[in-house]
Amino acid sequence: MNTAVSAFLSRHNFVRHVNVNTVIDSILDDMNRGLRQEKSDEDMIPTWCLPPEKPAKNKSVIVIDAGGTNFRSCLVTFDADGNASISEMEKTKMPGVERELNKKEFFDQFAANLEHLKNKADSIGFCFSYPMQIQKDGDGVLIGFSKEVKAPEVVGCAIGKCLKEALVAHGWREPERVTLLNDTVAALLAGAAAAKGRPYSSYIGFILGTGMNAAYIQPALPYRKDFVKQIVVCESGKTRNVVRSDFDIAFDAKTQKPGEFYMEKMCSGAYIGPVALEVLKGAVKDGLFSESLAKKLDSIPALTTIDVSVFLESPYNRETLLGGLAAESATEADYDTLFQLLDAMAERSARYAASILAAAAIQSGEGTNASKPVGILCNGTTFYKTYNIFARVQGYLDEVLTSQRGIYWSILTAENDITLGTAIAGLI
């Protein structure tokens, strides 16, 4: 990295090459505080479930996936051999993203979105990708929204119970069961279902898309008599023991919930682009760019994670937002500075993602036998499609888990993973 960029990042407290092992230790400490029900950043939410030992057969379930910016719903049917088929898929906007809704408006919008599936199954698997306190009956009480959803009256509500009431009010017969789960649990369950032909000692579900979170299988806790072996949702994006730069702090102040979800706002797809814009405008102010490019960068109204990634993949492509601006006015030094500043965002995200995954694998107590690794199912376009994040995460996991700790792991994939995992949960 050139000295001007290094000095700039240091001056503004931006740590690009965060020490992965230091972050792992911090996350593990926080995870165990949460499990002991002490004050912690991560919620460490028990789900009271494990992957089923046998696949579902000859059953149908309504599946809802509500998270980020989209609301998806469909019918999943398992045949006599346990093979799943998806039908009647529809996608619309997540309620509460475009404007603030009260409780009735929020659930009425859910019911309207589900009209095409009315009474087509008795069970509903509901992937609701926000912090919830999962109940032993499968319902979930909302702890709080993230990802800029605006429906404050819904906080503290039992989501399944409220959904049932809204559906009945819209002419449904009351569903027998609504099972709430997080997208990380859905990913974990899908990974376990997809793990055919090879034994795995445990599983992790990880999301790095609009948001950032992980779930893993926690062994029984001797200091909590009611806590049996089960899937635990970490709410990793809430981790606060991270080094925030001036740019992270400035952007956080503009969000719906300042002072919350520190790690998610530094690393996930909803935030990499906006924070990167703060970085670029700070660099303009500090004189890192030529005058001609500085004026163009300073006039950018918004920047997305996709804008950042496509520039890093092809800096000289004039068809991209930043590539087009640079082609008109950038010097060779400008290109180098712009690339290194944006790459710092991707590098930081990869290191924190690897830290979360490594901590979950260590906490599971499994993966010590190379023939039975921990299976990790990762979901999210930020993880797979943002410049170099996937490759970097794999490299850091090889180093901190396998080389240094003798813990073996394997990345799993499953088609329609969140949908499949949610359907499995709806029938557990």
Side-chain angles (χ1 to χ4, degrees), residues 148-165:
E148 308 305 295
V149 172
K150 299 171 283 294
E153 289 184 10
V154 181
V155 176
C157 293
I159 300 299
K161 177 177 180 289
C162 291
L163 178 63
K164 280 185 180 182
E165 292 171 353

Side-chain angles (χ1 to χ4, degrees), residues 182-194:
N182 186 277
D183 49 3
T184 57
V185 178
L188 188 154
L189 293 173

Side-chain angles (χ1 to χ4, degrees), residues 74-242:
C74 66
L75 188 71
V76 176
T77 301
F78 294 91
D79 66 16
D81 297 318
N83 299 311
S85 61
I86 299 170
S87 61
E88 303 194 54
M89 173 70 78
E90 288 192 6
K91 182 175 78 169
T92 185
K93 290 283 188 181
M94 174 66 190
V97 171
E98 295 181 338
R99 67 179 182 89
E100 184 171 313
L101 302 178
N102 62 35
K103 178 182 172 183
K104 184 178 186 305
E105 289 173 329
F106 187 80
F107 286 104
D108 278 348
Q109 186 61 63
F110 271 44
N113 290 347
L114 295 171
E115 186 66 24
H116 67 295
L117 296 170
K118 182 182 286 186
N119 298 329
K120 293 191 175 179
D122 294 323
S123 297
I124 298 175
F126 191 170
C127 181
F128 194 63
S129 302
Y130 305 94
M132 294 179 291
Q133 191 68 47
I134 299 298
Q135 310 299 297
K136 290 186 178 181
D137 65 358
D139 206 341
V141 175
L142 180 65
I143 295 170
F145 280 114
S146 59
K147 308 167 193 171
E148 308 305 295
V149 172
K150 299 171 283 294
E153 289 184 10
V154 181
V155 176
C157 293
I159 300 299
K161 177 177 180 289
C162 291
L163 178 63
K164 280 185 180 182
E165 292 171 353
L167 294 178
V168 170
H170 282 248
W172 288 54
R173 62 173 183 267
E174 183 174 338
E176 292 179 4
R177 180 180 176 89
V178 178
T179 303
L180 272 292
L181 69 157
N182 186 277
D183 49 3
T184 57
V185 178
L188 188 154
L189 293 173
K196 298 176 181 178
R198 181 178 181 182
Y200 289 86
S201 54
S202 193
Y203 299 95
I204 295 169
F206 179 67
I207 306 294
L208 183 56
T210 303
M212 183 182 208
N213 197 9
Y216 73 104
I217 298 175
Q218 170 64 44
L221 299 172
Y223 51 83
R224 287 179 63 179
K225 292 182 180 179
D226 65 326
F227 194 103
V228 295
K229 182 179 181 180
Q230 62 186 284
I231 300 169
V232 168
V233 177
C234 302
E235 292 303 333
S236 310
K238 286 188 168 184
T239 302
R240 295 170 62 91
N241 195 10
V242 291

